[in-house]
Amino acid sequence: MNKLIKIALFIVLCSTTYLGAQDISLYQQFNGRYDYTAIGNTMNTAENGLIAPCTILTSSSANLNLSSTQNVVAAYLYWAGSGNGDFNISLNNIEVSAERTFSDALDADRVFFAAFADVTTIITDQGNTDYTISNFDLTSIISPYCPTGTNFGGWAITIIYEEDTLPLNQLNVYDGLQSVPTFLSITLDNLNVLDNEDAKIGFVAWEGDNGIAVNEQLTINGSVISNFPLNPANNAFNGTNSFTGASDLYNMDIDVYNIQNNINIGDTSATIALTSGQDFVMINNVITVLNSQLPDATLTIEDYIVNCGDNTIEVFYTVYNTNSTAVLPANTPIAFYYNNTLIGQTFTNDDIEINGSENNTVLLTLPDDADTSVIITGIVDDDGTMTGIVTETNEDNNLISFEVELLVIPEIEVLSPIIGCNEGFETSTYNLFEALEIYDFAEEDITFFTSLEDLESNSNAILIPYDYNNVLYPETIFARVASPPCYEIFQFNLIIENCPPYIPQGFSPNNDTLNDWFNIQGLYDIFTEHQLQIYNRYGNLIYEGDNNTPWYGIVNKGLNNKGKTVPVGTYYYILNLNDPNYKPFMGWVYVNY
């Protein structure tokens, strides 16, 4: 099956207000079922020259007539002329400003300009119709150029379209500004010729003269090309349009040539040479359209996860095959580097269709001596030696670099302990938030753990921190406070002190089993070494006891009444807990029957 391969060379001038030229280089690339056409018109009323009228138009029109199956994907407007430039014009009464400008010159007095604007929206909105460039006014500057025949102005629009019946092509758009006389050579890179049948080349040139044909030739890869009768081999730049057959594009050309025998299968570049012994011709933009059935792998990083104190990074990535003309095969390798050292590898899982993509994750491990801020480079179609295994439409877009901030374990800040009251068996109940009450942290940002390992992994958090019973004695608690992009760590101990006893104000030792003894709560289980002394109102010691002898109102001291129950009355007590944290308690207790 024959495959249509077209190479289209679109050549226009671009200029700014300074002298010099800009080399032509790749501007944009399209891969798929793409081709292009071009429309445009001159602002000259006749070919320039000594006997030509020194006038120039401020508007001109051209018609676009695409078929219903040709869908516009891009449209680029170029306009050019004598002088320093008019960079604000109108297209169908819509204001257009130059997005890029270029310059060239014959000498200090004969300078030329051109400008570029993306007009895709205008073309897709208005479709097939007449397109008029207006407000393009060179009338005030054209006169000094007329005596040397360098007065000109014109415009052209390249329309790139997609059509289902086209072969899978690679369409490259090149930009720059280079000119002759005498000799000009332009090398077009990023080509991939799979089939050269019906290969073509086209160009648009500014300032070419039909009446000047001195050593004027266009060659590709050393062979002269022509398109007789529109473009003879000795007069390529003669004011014609091969798309329409017009021959009145004064001082500009839009032409197409068949170069099937001038480019070979497997070529990755082509050399265009232009000679002119007299005519001044300026070249700015080149378009190539080649049959190409290749994938184009690109890589993006969607996100990554790092853990505090961990050099392992989980990277979320996407492999695309969007700017392609063939499936990207499964098992296409992906490599990741840090400081040119391989730190991780993976592969695509499935075939990725044209305009398709695949999401996945990979774990990367940085060396222990890595900085806290690192640059990681990911390369799709890389076997781990920075070598690809898949031939692609573009071999220069496989790499992406991204910055990763490692989370260093912060220094632990030690806080004052929380002191709990001994509730027996060395346990107490704590509100853990009390340890951080000197800070203005929101409680929802604080998580408590019983080990540093759990804190770092953010697992096994204490579920009810405001009502926590210690498990160990003493026990260390760790607090993790959220603080993007890392967190803060606090440490404090849970300390238990004996609870102060609760001393009742009276009791009734009448053997009714209710309140029959001096029941000092929190005393006998905790302060086991305590001593209790009871005095009557005369200051006489009538009772002395310890943890084994609670007072039931019985006298056990003094010469009289030993073993007898004390009468109703108020008695003075001294309770020595024998605990360094407490002084003796003293007070009155009322005994009643």
Side-chain angles (χ1 to χ4, degrees), residues 471-482:
V471 177
L472 302 175
Y473 177 75
E475 187 168 23
T476 300
I477 299 296
F478 299 90
R480 173 174 170 150
V481 180

Side-chain angles (χ1 to χ4, degrees), residues 283-540:
I283 298 175
N284 170 245
N285 171 271
V286 175
I287 293 181
T288 64
V289 186
L290 300 170
N291 181 259
S292 171
Q293 296 184 32
L294 293 175
D296 184 34
T298 57
L299 180 69
T300 63
I301 304 303
E302 310 301 335
D303 200 0
Y304 66 84
I305 295 175
V306 295
N307 293 313
C308 221
D310 192 349
N311 279 14
T312 300
I313 307 165
E314 184 177 12
V315 175
F316 298 81
Y317 65 88
T318 302
V319 177
Y320 292 92
N321 187 31
T322 50
N323 196 21
S324 61
T325 54
V327 168
L328 181 68
N331 296 315
T332 297
I334 309 166
F336 294 87
Y337 298 88
Y338 167 66
N339 283 350
N340 295 321
T341 299
L342 185 68
I343 59 171
Q345 286 182 281
T346 186
F347 300 85
T348 57
N349 291 327
D350 304 306
D351 290 346
I352 301 178
E353 300 295 327
I354 296 173
N355 296 322
S357 63
E358 179 181 285
N359 302 314
N360 216 323
T361 64
V362 63
L363 291 177
L364 309 179
T365 302
L366 289 164
D368 292 337
D369 59 354
D371 296 331
T372 57
S373 179
V374 299
I375 301 295
I376 295 175
T377 299
I379 307 177
V380 62
D381 188 24
D382 181 345
D383 64 2
T385 65
M386 296 193 176
T387 302
I389 66 171
V390 179
T391 302
E392 303 178 58
T393 59
N394 185 353
E395 300 286 356
D396 299 327
N397 61 356
N398 298 131
L399 179 149
I400 186 170
S401 294
F402 57 101
E403 185 174 6
V404 173
E405 293 288 338
L406 297 180
L407 301 181
V408 179
I409 295 179
E411 293 291 332
I412 300 176
E413 183 173 347
V414 179
L415 303 175
S416 298
I418 302 179
I419 299 175
C421 180
N422 190 348
E423 298 171 356
F425 306 103
E426 297 182 334
T427 62
S428 185
T429 302
Y430 301 87
N431 180 356
L432 302 182
F433 291 111
E434 291 180 2
L436 296 165
E437 62 186 4
I438 61 173
Y439 299 98
D440 190 24
F441 297 140
E443 288 190 0
E444 57 267 23
D445 292 334
I446 308 172
T447 312
F448 297 95
F449 303 86
T450 58
S451 73
L452 188 58
E453 292 76 17
D454 285 347
L455 181 146
E456 291 174 359
S457 63
N458 200 21
S459 60
N460 302 316
I462 294 174
L463 297 179
I464 308 176
Y466 53 83
D467 189 21
Y468 177 73
N469 291 319
N470 63 298
V471 177
L472 302 175
Y473 177 75
E475 187 168 23
T476 300
I477 299 296
F478 299 90
R480 173 174 170 150
V481 180
S483 179
C486 196
Y487 51 83
E488 297 179 73
I489 300 177
F490 297 87
Q491 171 186 325
F492 57 91
N493 289 331
L494 302 181
I495 302 298
I496 296 177
E497 290 184 354
N498 291 329
C499 304
Y502 172 75
I503 303 175
Q505 295 180 348
F507 67 98
S508 57
N510 57 8
N511 295 320
D512 63 357
T513 70
L514 298 175
N515 202 22
D516 281 337
W517 60 291
F518 191 14
N519 183 11
I520 302 175
Q521 299 174 25
L523 177 66
Y524 295 93
D525 292 333
I526 298 172
F527 300 96
T528 58
E529 301 300 322
H530 75 270
Q531 291 180 325
L532 176 64
Q533 294 176 327
I534 304 295
Y535 296 85
N536 62 20
R537 60 181 178 170
Y538 303 109
N540 298 321

